[in-house]
Amino acid sequence: IGLYTKKHLAIQSQLHSALEKNELYLVYQPIINLKTKKIVAVEALIRWRHPELGLILPEDFIHVAEDTGYIIQIGQWVLHQA
């Protein structure tokens, strides 16, 4: 099994409990109007702080969540948190 496959399988097996264990969190990025220099919106960005693997970036777990259908639960959590 290749490294990508091992990583994919590890993420897939642990993603389902990430919400229950409070490992997912949001960071907020302001969107600024460059003419007025005022904040016009805020974007919520999801992050996963895994106790053993450290910070897992969205590009490493979102596609796994989409493939497994877990993206629905994650999306609901994001909407509730934001």
Side-chain angles (χ1 to χ4, degrees):
I1 298 176
L3 178 62
Y4 175 80
T5 304
K6 286 181 183 177
K7 186 176 183 179
H8 183 88
L9 291 173
I11 289 172
Q12 182 177 340
S13 69
Q14 297 177 35
L15 185 58
H16 72 278
S17 64
L19 278 175
E20 296 168 2
K21 295 179 179 178
N22 294 316
E23 295 174 2
L24 298 180
Y25 65 98
L26 298 178
V27 294
Y28 298 94
Q29 176 173 301
I31 299 172
I32 300 171
N33 180 316
L34 294 178
K35 288 183 181 182
T36 65
K37 298 183 181 175
K38 294 187 184 240
I39 296 173
V40 295
V42 177
E43 181 178 22
L45 306 171
I46 192 166
R47 298 291 184 262
W48 181 6
R49 186 176 303 121
H50 190 280
E52 296 168 8
L53 302 174
L55 181 63
I56 301 173
L57 297 176
E59 57 262 21
D60 293 329
F61 72 89
I62 292 295
H63 69 282
V64 176
E66 291 171 339
D67 291 346
T68 61
Y70 194 60
I71 195 70
I72 304 286
Q73 288 176 290
I74 291 174
Q76 290 170 344
W77 179 84
V78 168
L79 289 173
H80 178 75
Q81 293 297 309

